[in-house]
Amino acid sequence: MLDAILVMSGLALFLGSVLGYASIRFHVQGNALVEKIDAILPQTQCAQCGFPGCRPYAEAIAEGRADINQCPPGGEANIHKLADLLGVEFKPLNAEHGEPKPKSLAFIDESTCIGCTLCIQACPVDAISGAPKQMHTIIASECTGCELCVAPCPVDCISMVPVAENISNWKWKRPSYLEQDAA
Amino acid sequence: MRKLYHFNGGVHPPQHKSESTRHPIIKPPLPEKLVIPLHQHIGNTAKPVVSKGERVLKGQKIGRAEGYVSSAIHAPTSGTILSIEQEPVPHPSGLRDLCISLEPDGMEEWIELQPVDYLNTDPSTLRNRLRDAGVVGLGGAVFPSFIKLNPSNRKIRTLVLNGAECEPYITCDDMLMRQRAAEIVEGAKIMRHMLQADEILLGIEDNKPEAIAAMKAASGDEMEVVAVPTIYPGGGAKQLIRVLTGIEVPAGERSTDLGVQCFNVATAASVYRAVRYGEPLISRIVTIAGNVANPGNYEALIGTMIDHLILQAGKNEEENVAIMGGPMMGFDLPSVRVPLVKATNCIIVKSEKLFPKRPAPMPCIRCGRCAESCPADLQPQELYWFSKAGNFGKAQEYALFDCIECGCCSYVCPSSIPLVQFYRYAKSEIWAQEREKKASDLARIRHDFRIERIEREKREKAERLAQKSAKAGSEQE
């Protein structure tokens, strides 16, 4: 009887200390789930989801405060990925947060711009270059197409221009296939 | 006799080579207009350095190499710059790209050429010369040659010259070897000097006895000319290296890691002209074949309209449909009103008789013939399932990017499934996803940085305020 108690408590002590050590030794920095969700989100930082950026939205999903179908730029493809990651059912995009649109970039009509810097302050990724009372312009390679600069502009000189297909972003099409996807 | 190795698979399509080798290389008359695309190589588009209305000389640089992986573009003849605009280019998309249009003045007035004595020149200077001369791989991949000629601490033992020319119809390298063997040998010597290679091997398929004889006569002791068996795609770089040296380049590695570098014979000839005479790459030999009255090889200026060349070969029809490249790896030109570029090794005018319509695809019967024919030892049927289902990650696991797109699998498929077309589609989807991933990672970094900056500014402002009030407080006392 005593032997059994001793063995069991000894084992419990030993395993407990192993687990305790492992939890310190292999501690994961930050919240791994938030990182994984954030990696799927498109990083447009457009706030259409109702949160002030992709990471806050990722945190809200991880904590169960937000649904997975609130990101229009990510579209259905991203909802599928999130559903796979979190082991939940796919649901169609919530129309309250907007419709998916073709990828666009902001464009400043430089002859109308008055140099007020309001768009610069609104841009979440610092993709607008300019200074007070100087002309502003979009750094196209940095622009995520979030549209946050459009509303603050007092002279309406910012428009969203869809990204045109060119030789460098052109893709081979899926072969047209008459097999009726039988096999 | 050198011991030859072999690679798995391969096919024997009808060759159609004799039609275009009946007469020597022809120089077509100067066209009325040249359209020179600024993106004719792998890497960054060249930056135009001339302006509209400017008179340029033959060989003058009109596009400067931009960034490391890039190459310069030159005026193929003397004349006036008409425009620098988006024009249709030979690309499967049919989209436009930035081109410089040039109206020749017929004087053929050269810039002052500066030859180099390569033996007394630093290899780095020679590489810059080749970059400035716009020398790129003429086998079809148009990768800037100066980059491949930088051994950067790797020992290159063997320089392989590729004269295999395995695709049907194409005979431009064959005719070059027959007629300009000495230029190829001299170019190969320059390349050997730059790479400090021990030996040069020239592989030619044994269906080109005239070329083999000409190259043997010209090469002396400088290089070994090896006749290799005729089998498609024996002219693929990895396949030729395998046949000549027995080295199999593993997935994810380059042949240079194993001490072998490979160049097309036409590239060797253009290296020679760029170094020995200072001539930039402004023309190339192109095979015009298929449904034309007079198939042959033409030495055409870069920027010559392809319909002008087809007309030279005796086909005068408005609506010609043509393939650029060979029938196995080439693509249908969206129009023949596009210019010849450095990559254009062959133009095949199509006809119903030569290229009958492919039967409609049938379901895959898992016969495995595609796997037997694959020269890259892949499992094409698996790649097909994954590509078709959009399961690109799995396709990558099955080494999709080791596929050289030779088209053997599509050629042998008894169900006529467009296999290689699915792999191209899958590859370009994966590249697009990677571009998006890169862009979103950049956006994340910039957004995080911005938030951090705003916080820092707030903190600093608060600190300044605190200091100020503390100072004011102490002064009051």
Side-chain angles (χ1 to χ4, degrees), chain A residues 57-88:
Chain A
Y57 178 43
E59 283 163 5
I61 296 178
E63 291 162 16
R65 287 185 283 120
D67 222 332
I68 57 168
N69 61 349
Q70 302 182 0
C71 175
E76 306 235 315
N78 267 9
I79 301 175
H80 275 293
K81 281 188 201 160
L82 287 172
D84 280 350
L85 176 71
L86 301 167
V88 296

Side-chain angles (χ1 to χ4, degrees), chain B residues 218-237:
Chain B
S219 58
D221 298 334
E222 300 294 346
M223 62 164 123
E224 191 178 334
V225 179
V226 188
V228 297
T230 299
I231 181 168
Y232 177 83

